[in-house]
Amino acid sequence: MMGQVFIVADDHPLFRGALREILASLPEPGTIVEAADFDETARALADNPEADLLLLDLAMPGTSGLSGLALLRAEYPSIPIAIVSGIENAPIVARALDLGASGFIPKSTGFEEIRRAIQTLLAGDVWLPPDVPLDAERDPEVTELIQRIRTLTPQQTRVLTMLGRGLLNKQIAYELGISEATIKAHVSAVLLKLGVDSRTQAVIRLSKLGIDLDTGFLA
């Protein structure tokens, strides 16, 4: 019987090492897969579509803030995703929950508390930092965007992710191993579901889920 699989997605090797140490100390340690950017995270999930837990940093190369969470949540709805971030203000925590995160672990949290948080998440419960009010006012435009993203199929979600990375139809077709004509059809469907007229507008809408890393607030 295969043990648990954990994916640790963070661009800081020292923090990945700390999380690896915590995961290895669990009563039932499992396989730990590390990713240093969004592309590596997507590949790790593709290789482990039934992973038990994804620990996801918000500020990794290849994605902007909560957009990465939105895309991964849409593509892998059954995998628990916990945000592990140095940004921990109430609006960000609330938005992460709106996007389907199972938990939010500030990087300032002590090792023992992180271990308890992970065990809580593995038990199927939500874990949040104490003393963070979750009644922050929602941006109606962002709320609508989240609802639209959730209507995308997994393949359309992959295409939107690649549009966000600036890839051309030919490059997307190569990466997904399907025809360029099929990609064009997917792009048209994505634009329709997002309520936009062009690839550029789709990317701009996606950037609404980004975070200003200087302030820690939604961009």
Side-chain angles (χ1 to χ4, degrees), residues 2-6 20-32 122:
M2 186 176 177
Q4 297 181 113
V5 176
F6 308 112
R20 186 174 62 243
E21 184 178 327
I22 293 169
L23 290 167
S25 73
L26 294 176
E28 296 182 21
T31 301
I32 301 169
L122 291 173

Side-chain angles (χ1 to χ4, degrees), residues 39-82:
D39 286 351
E40 287 185 10
T41 304
R43 284 195 294 273
L45 284 165
D47 292 340
N48 301 278
E50 296 183 0
D52 294 275
L53 179 64
L54 166 61
L55 297 171
L56 179 68
D57 184 20
L58 283 183
M60 281 196 306
T63 185
S64 175
L66 293 164
S67 60
L69 169 61
L71 294 169
L72 295 176
R73 178 78 289 157
E75 190 166 356
Y76 300 96
S78 64
I79 295 179
I81 300 176

Side-chain angles (χ1 to χ4, degrees), residues 9 31 71 84 105 109 118 125 145 185 189 192 194 211:
T31 301
L71 294 169
V84 183
I105 305 173
T109 306
I118 290 172
D125 296 322
L145 175 58
L192 181 64
L194 292 186
I211 292 173

Side-chain angles (χ1 to χ4, degrees), residues 59 64-65 85-89 92 210-219:
S64 175
S85 177
I87 303 167
E88 53 188 271
N89 61 55
I92 300 301
I211 292 173
D212 182 340
L213 296 180
D214 292 327
T215 66
F217 284 92
L218 291 168

Side-chain angles (χ1 to χ4, degrees), residues 6-194:
F6 308 112
I7 299 174
V8 178
D10 194 295
D11 61 326
H12 291 95
L14 287 176
F15 199 77
R16 285 203 311 274
L19 290 175
R20 186 174 62 243
E21 184 178 327
I22 293 169
L23 290 167
S25 73
L26 294 176
E28 296 182 21
T31 301
I32 301 169
V33 181
E34 296 184 37
D37 58 34
F38 187 75
D39 286 351
E40 287 185 10
T41 304
R43 284 195 294 273
L45 284 165
D47 292 340
N48 301 278
E50 296 183 0
D52 294 275
L53 179 64
L54 166 61
L55 297 171
L56 179 68
D57 184 20
L58 283 183
M60 281 196 306
T63 185
S64 175
L66 293 164
S67 60
L69 169 61
L71 294 169
L72 295 176
R73 178 78 289 157
E75 190 166 356
Y76 300 96
S78 64
I79 295 179
I81 300 176
I83 299 301
V84 183
S85 177
I87 303 167
E88 53 188 271
N89 61 55
I92 300 301
V93 176
R95 183 59 68 200
L97 290 180
D98 287 349
L99 284 165
S102 299
F104 197 105
I105 305 173
K107 286 189 174 181
S108 59
T109 306
F111 275 27
E112 283 301 322
E113 188 72 4
I114 292 177
R115 183 181 289 107
R116 283 194 292 271
I118 290 172
Q119 290 176 314
T120 298
L121 292 162
L122 291 173
D125 296 322
V126 173
W127 193 93
L128 298 173
D131 305 322
V132 174
L134 296 179
D135 55 356
E137 185 176 346
R138 268 58 165 179
D139 180 336
E141 184 180 357
V142 174
T143 299
E144 185 217 2
L145 175 58
I146 292 169
Q147 292 170 345
R148 287 179 179 272
I149 287 175
R150 285 178 169 167
T151 69
L152 301 177
T153 67
Q155 192 76 308
Q156 289 166 356
T157 301
R158 294 185 192 101
V159 170
L160 177 58
T161 302
M162 293 177 183
L163 290 178
R165 287 162 46 198
L167 299 187
L168 302 174
N169 286 358
K170 184 183 298 184
Q171 295 169 307
I172 297 173
Y174 176 78
E175 286 210 15
L176 295 181
I178 54 182
S179 72
E180 195 170 343
T182 301
I183 293 302
K184 288 180 180 177
H186 281 316
V187 170
S188 295
V190 168
L191 299 185
L192 181 64
K193 288 185 176 182
L194 292 186

